[in-house]
Amino acid sequence: MSRLHRLIPVLASLPLLVSSLGMGSSASAGERLQLVATTSMVADVLREVGGEQVEVRGLMGPGVDPHLYRQTRSDVTAMTRADAVFWNGLYLEAQLESFLGRLGERQPVIAVGEAVPSEARLADEEYPDQYDPHVWMDPSRWRFAVEAIRDALAELAPSHADTFADRANAYLNELEALDAYAREVLASVPEEARVLVTAHDAFGYFGDAYGFEVLGIQGYSTDSEAGLARIESLVNLLAERGIGALFVETSVSDRNVRALVEGAAARDHEVRIGGELYSDAMGPEGSYEGTWIGMFDHNVSQIALALGGEVPEGGRLGRLGHLKELP
């Protein structure tokens, strides 16, 4: 039995995820549900599962950091007029927490990341009640968010429940195929090279799923500052263990990553940028990397290639034209 199936206990009951679902104004027959999603990852799943029955407005586009994002006046208008608002939760959208809490008292507000059972979540060692919110980094966890979205849409528009179920099943099959691809190409990375150094600690679930040691310069949130001691300790680690590549992220400044490169060079150890990864935001709208499937394919393929693994040209589906090995 695959890991994807082992991590499927009974889904947490939907009422725990949906605030006052019955209080929202669901679309009448023939009308599309008007939905708002905070992150691009959540918006993408809503569109995939909802199909023609939904119209989705995403608040955060490419390169936007959800840890620091604050709602605009137009965001507030869109959310208050929507049939439902979907967000990740687990304190990812830290600046929106208070507003979404109040909004949930009067209309449906669904925290899809919190559909992941607590026993499948990763927690901070120092703060065990603070969970890592980056659950989309592992398909076996992200499927719980897909199922929560399917069930919420079915309650909002019961006449389309079968359609939502069919589309969700097709999407879950894609998750399973992508998970299998990830296992294959990441297994080709030499064991001693399976160390992933990134700008912030967004790849914990990825590392847990695929057997990589993950070292983030900052913590779960980019709101935390990386002190000189943390930079110094990572520079020492890079040199001592001979780590040759680290990664920048599209939604986080590369300042700290480049400080590591320079620090390692001062110790006569060459470490290179292994590529750019999508962490808290996806690629450009309309692109393959602008979907969760494409984003994950890119990350898996770029990591494997940069760390010495074998990757098919263009990634899983041959749609990644920008993959390149380190010089």
Side-chain angles (χ1 to χ4, degrees), residues 21-166:
L21 188 55
M23 296 171 62
S25 56
S26 59
S28 59
E31 294 181 351
R32 295 200 291 177
L33 289 168
Q34 301 299 306
L35 308 174
V36 171
T38 54
T39 70
S40 54
M41 292 76 71
V42 174
D44 184 58
V45 177
L46 276 172
R47 295 185 181 107
E48 290 292 335
V49 176
E52 295 181 356
Q53 278 68 50
V54 303
E55 184 171 332
V56 181
R57 170 173 172 165
L59 300 185
M60 306 178 198
V64 175
D65 184 345
H67 299 283
L68 305 179
Y69 187 85
R70 294 181 182 274
Q71 70 270 20
T72 65
R73 183 173 300 178
S74 63
D75 292 340
V76 171
T77 300
M79 286 189 278
T80 55
R81 292 179 178 176
D83 291 312
V85 176
F86 291 76
W87 60 311
N88 186 83
L90 298 176
Y91 209 59
L92 177 72
E93 306 95 327
Q95 309 303 321
L96 302 181
E97 288 258 331
S98 296
F99 173 78
L100 289 172
R102 295 192 301 272
L103 186 65
E105 296 175 358
R106 58 183 296 271
Q107 68 189 81
V109 174
I110 300 96
V112 302
E114 293 175 16
V116 177
S118 58
E119 63 270 19
R121 301 176 194 169
L122 299 178
D124 189 293
E125 292 182 1
E126 296 183 12
Y127 306 97
D129 59 342
Q130 180 180 335
Y131 294 110
D132 183 345
H134 304 89
V135 292
W136 62 89
M137 288 298 188
D138 172 18
S140 63
R141 271 105 166 179
W142 193 229
R143 70 171 295 132
F144 290 107
V146 176
E147 291 168 342
I149 285 172
R150 174 201 63 199
D151 294 346
L153 292 179
E155 286 208 27
L156 288 164
S159 62
H160 298 298
D162 290 343
T163 298
F164 299 144
D166 290 343

Side-chain angles (χ1 to χ4, degrees), residues 254-300:
D254 64 358
R255 181 181 67 253
N256 289 331
V257 174
R258 297 196 179 279
L260 288 186
V261 174
E262 295 170 4
R267 289 164 174 74
D268 296 321
H269 174 65
E270 182 181 7
V271 60
R272 297 170 177 163
I273 303 296
E276 190 174 53
L277 304 180
Y278 299 106
S279 55
D280 291 344
M282 304 194 303
E285 293 182 14
S287 69
Y288 177 52
E289 295 85 345
T291 66
W292 182 86
I293 294 290
M295 164 192 179
F296 199 81
D297 185 2
H298 166 90
N299 285 350
V300 166

